Amino acid sequence: MRITKSFAETRAVAHGVVGLVPTMGFLHEGHLSLIEAARKASDTVVMSLFVNPLQFDREDDLDRYPRDLERDVELATAAGADIVFNPELDEMYPDKQLTRVNVNELSDELEGPNRPGHFEGVATVVAKLLAGIQPARSFFGRKDAQQLAIVRRMAQDLSMPSEIIGVPIVRETEGLALSSRNVFLSNAERSAALSLSRGLMSAADLVAAGEREASVLAGAVRDEIGDALEIEYVTLASQAHVKPLQTLDQPAFLALAAWAGKTRLIDNVHFDGDDYVADRGTRLMERSVLYGTGEN
Ligand code: AMP
């Protein structure tokens, strides 16, 4: 395991087919599944660990973003990463970042309006990582469905020679999608948050039974959540364009955002292929052993 601080050093150490897993650290089993997927498809697995200020729309969110480099390096090594690229701010942004990447239209809905500038920050930092590290493959979680769609489109539009691979959502045994933000949930908030995945799974059951109306699918999710959490949106959107759909008539995902107290949570279920098979994610045998025990 090598910790690198610069792009040049990372390129010098990496060999063969390079697989990149971009993260902001504070790793959980969701990140580790990306490393495992990269391990199977690459000679060198690079995990980048950089809390990217450009993609935070709220300063308090950036300030309270959890960080633990030592633990992350240990976990990434155990999961099969060869290199942890952990640049200082100066390596990523040596000067004011005048060049920004905007993937038009795909940022208009869902997370876009609620988080101004967020996807510009994400697309810009991912473009820099792809240019600086030159991975043949890059791995992103389906947890951030819109981000995955945007990165895919950016790579296509800008002819970037990196294959973009989406990896299923990792959930705790009771269904909660792992997130670095889960550490902020109290026990009560965590219990309430279980309604999110329950709702999405009942929508997936409806799709399996032949339901195709977006309003019915979103309604099932809303019914399950009830007033346990404050819902921001529940939307069925196309995977290719992140456009809201009335009817499930192309590969899509049913996505939601909701607040558990001061913590904003997102989750989704993807419907793939011609028959809209639901990707319900993968489940751990138990709750996250890394953290997320809701003791605060
Ligand atoms: P983050 O560090 O939160 O920016 O996430 C880094 C990568 O991990 C992104 O591609 C996320 O989509 C992915 N990720 C986060 N949580 C999960 C999860 N529960 N399952 C699968 N991938 C995840």
Side-chain angles (χ1 to χ4, degrees):
M1 157 63 62
R2 278 276 291 259
I3 301 177
T4 58
K5 291 285 178 189
S6 74
F7 284 122
E9 185 190 0
T10 309
R11 283 196 304 275
V13 176
H15 64 90
V17 173
V18 177
L20 173 68
V21 177
T23 80
M24 297 203 297
F26 213 71
L27 303 184
H28 53 60
E29 290 90 338
H31 301 111
L32 302 185
S33 78
L34 299 181
I35 296 178
E36 283 154 22
R39 181 73 280 161
K40 289 185 192 136
S42 330
D43 298 311
T44 304
V45 175
V46 181
M47 188 195 80
S48 64
L49 195 170
F50 178 66
V51 182
N52 175 35
L54 232 53
Q55 73 189 65
F56 283 82
D57 46 312
R58 299 189 342 261
E59 206 160 313
D60 58 325
D61 199 25
L62 173 61
D63 290 344
R64 78 173 197 153
Y65 202 83
R67 293 164 169 88
D68 191 339
L69 176 63
E70 205 178 308
R71 194 193 69 144
D72 285 347
V73 169
E74 234 171 72
L75 290 170
T77 309
D82 302 300
I83 300 175
V84 171
F85 173 54
N86 178 227
E88 300 295 333
L89 206 52
D90 259 8
E91 174 71 9
M92 289 302 288
Y93 302 116
D95 204 342
K96 190 173 171 195
Q97 182 72 23
L98 299 181
T99 305
R100 304 289 181 110
V101 180
N102 270 294
V103 181
N104 294 327
E105 299 180 25
L106 271 68
S107 314
D108 288 351
E109 309 281 346
L110 310 186
E111 295 292 287
N114 297 308
R115 307 188 63 189
H118 172 67
F119 286 123
E120 181 186 274
V122 169
T124 303
V125 80
V126 172
K128 288 173 72 83
L129 290 169
L130 265 52
I133 296 173
Q134 301 174 358
R137 305 196 168 106
S138 306
F139 297 81
F140 295 85
R142 281 191 141 185
K143 162 97 186 325
D144 298 279
Q146 188 169 16
Q147 167 176 292
L148 173 60
I150 286 171
V151 167
R152 229 187 246 301
R153 185 62 188 228
M154 172 188 76
Q156 180 189 315
D157 282 358
L158 296 179
S159 311
M160 293 174 165
S162 188
E163 186 187 348
I164 306 299
I165 296 163
V167 178
I169 296 175
V170 177
R171 302 179 178 283
E172 293 191 343
T173 177
E174 293 168 293
L176 182 66
L178 297 189
S179 161
S180 306
R181 293 190 169 90
N182 290 356
V183 281
F184 301 129
L185 299 174
S186 68
N187 279 326
E189 287 166 351
R190 192 184 173 287
S191 304
L194 297 179
S195 63
L196 302 177
S197 53
R198 273 202 310 268
L200 291 169
M201 296 310 139
S202 32
D205 292 342
L206 288 173
V207 170
E211 182 59 60
R212 296 289 181 266
E213 278 308 304
S215 59
V216 175
L217 301 177
V221 177
R222 286 181 178 276
D223 286 350
E224 185 65 49
I225 299 171
D227 52 13
L229 304 170
E230 197 190 317
I231 298 173
E232 242 181 45
Y233 64 79
V234 182
T235 305
L236 182 73
S238 61
Q239 287 184 24
H241 297 104
V242 198
K243 282 289 165 229
L245 301 173
Q246 305 278 338
T247 309
L248 178 57
D249 55 6
Q250 57 189 290
F253 56 87
L254 183 61
L256 58 79
W259 290 85
K262 283 190 179 157
T263 305
R264 189 173 183 277
L265 299 171
I266 59 169
D267 199 351
N268 70 79
V269 57
H270 279 67
F271 299 108
D272 296 321
D274 295 339
D275 41 7
Y276 312 120
V277 174
D279 176 357
R280 295 165 187 254
T282 54
R283 296 225 180 188
L284 300 176
M285 300 300 286
E286 50 198 38
R287 278 175 53 177
S288 170
V289 292
L290 296 177
Y291 71 91
T293 48
E295 279 157 2
N296 54 329

